[in-house]
Amino acid sequence: QQPVQSPQAVILREGEDAVINCSSSKALYSVHWYRQKHGEAPVFLMILLKGGEQKGHEKISASFNEKKQQSSLYLTASQLSYSGTYFCGTEMLGGSQGNLIFGKGTKLSVKP
Amino acid sequence: NAGVTQTPKFQVLKTGQSMTLQCAQDMNHNSMYWYRQDPGMGLRLIYYSASEGTTDKGEVPNGYNVSRLNKREFSLRLESAAPSQTSVYFCASSEAKPGLAKNIQYFGAGTRLSVL
């Protein structure tokens, strides 16, 4: 049931773009995206609800394709502060309300 | 506003020792969660409590017990610690109110536990 994230790791130069994908084999109610910096707690970025909406946060946006049970996180014009590990958390349709299953994470490194 | 507070931040145990990890939230949230995070594994749910007085097993509950002491506090107990329980433990909370569409989880700073 654990969602699959890809890629596992990505290295960027400042100003470059990246896409992180999250795919589930189960029907989803929502997808949550978190960023975790080394030695810190995960921090909520955004939530995508069933309905295919696209959300934005600074230069970070995301989409949710409920037919494919996939979500993608788009990071444009990356900054050094974007470095960290990104996790998607999936909330299943018919599952316990609010419970998330997290992917294994994508480590993003932004170099000057 | 402190959010989610975990204690202790660091702990070293010997195999067989017991300990309790404490978690408290001041956001009046209904649901609370305990996760463990191991390298390359993401966050795995140990136990959760959907409301005061209820607890349920998550993905990896073996070797752990929990208590939802009141709406604010949710503790995790290791009765007889094993080296396989060396990990970083995170507590989280969410409003998780029926009819609420966006159940965002907020995390504490974590407890780094080593079992020797």
Side-chain angles (χ1 to χ4, degrees), chain B residues 10-111:
Chain B
F10 301 93
Q11 185 70 49
V12 178
L13 293 177
K14 293 182 180 177
T15 298
Q17 287 185 317
S18 62
M19 80 161 295
T20 300
L21 282 64
Q22 307 286 354
C23 176
Q25 52 92 8
D26 62 3
M27 296 174 282
N28 201 36
H29 283 171
N30 291 314
S31 293
M32 297 185 73
Y33 312 85
W34 276 106
Y35 293 93
R36 61 177 289 171
Q37 185 174 39
D38 303 295
M41 300 294 290
L43 293 151
R44 293 185 293 170
L45 184 65
I46 304 171
Y47 271 93
Y48 67 98
S49 170
S51 61
E52 186 179 352
T54 68
T55 60
D56 283 289
K57 294 178 181 179
E59 181 188 353
V60 289
N62 291 345
Y64 305 95
N65 285 303
V66 290
S67 295
R68 185 74 183 268
L69 304 169
N70 47 55
K71 192 169 187 180
R72 289 187 63 248
E73 298 171 291
F74 188 37
S75 62
L76 178 72
R77 183 160 176 85
L78 287 71
E79 291 290 352
S80 179
S84 61
Q85 294 178 304
T86 293
S87 188
V88 181
Y89 292 85
F90 287 100
C91 176
S93 71
S94 73
E95 194 169 1
K97 194 165 55 177
L100 180 67
K102 299 181 180 181
N103 290 304
I104 299 167
Q105 290 190 18
Y106 297 90
F107 285 80
T111 295

Side-chain angles (χ1 to χ4, degrees), chain A residues 7-37:
Chain A
Q8 289 183 324
V10 60
I11 299 174
L12 298 175
R13 293 283 181 192
E14 263 187 303
E16 292 182 337
D17 302 339
V19 180
I20 299 172
N21 299 303
C22 174
S23 180
S24 173
S25 60
K26 301 289 186 182
L28 300 177
Y29 172 72
S30 68
V31 179
H32 302 221
W33 285 97
Y34 286 79
R35 177 169 62 205
Q36 184 180 31
K37 293 188 179 285

Side-chain angles (χ1 to χ4, degrees), chain A residues 7-12 16-20 35-37 60 73 75 78-86 105-111:
Chain A
Q8 289 183 324
V10 60
I11 299 174
L12 298 175
E16 292 182 337
D17 302 339
V19 180
I20 299 172
R35 177 169 62 205
Q36 184 180 31
K37 293 188 179 285
I60 301 174
L73 186 72
L75 300 100
S78 59
Q79 306 167 14
L80 295 176
S81 62
Y82 286 3
S83 292
T85 301
Y86 290 78
T106 296
K107 186 174 182 180
L108 177 72
S109 300
V110 181
K111 308 290 185 185

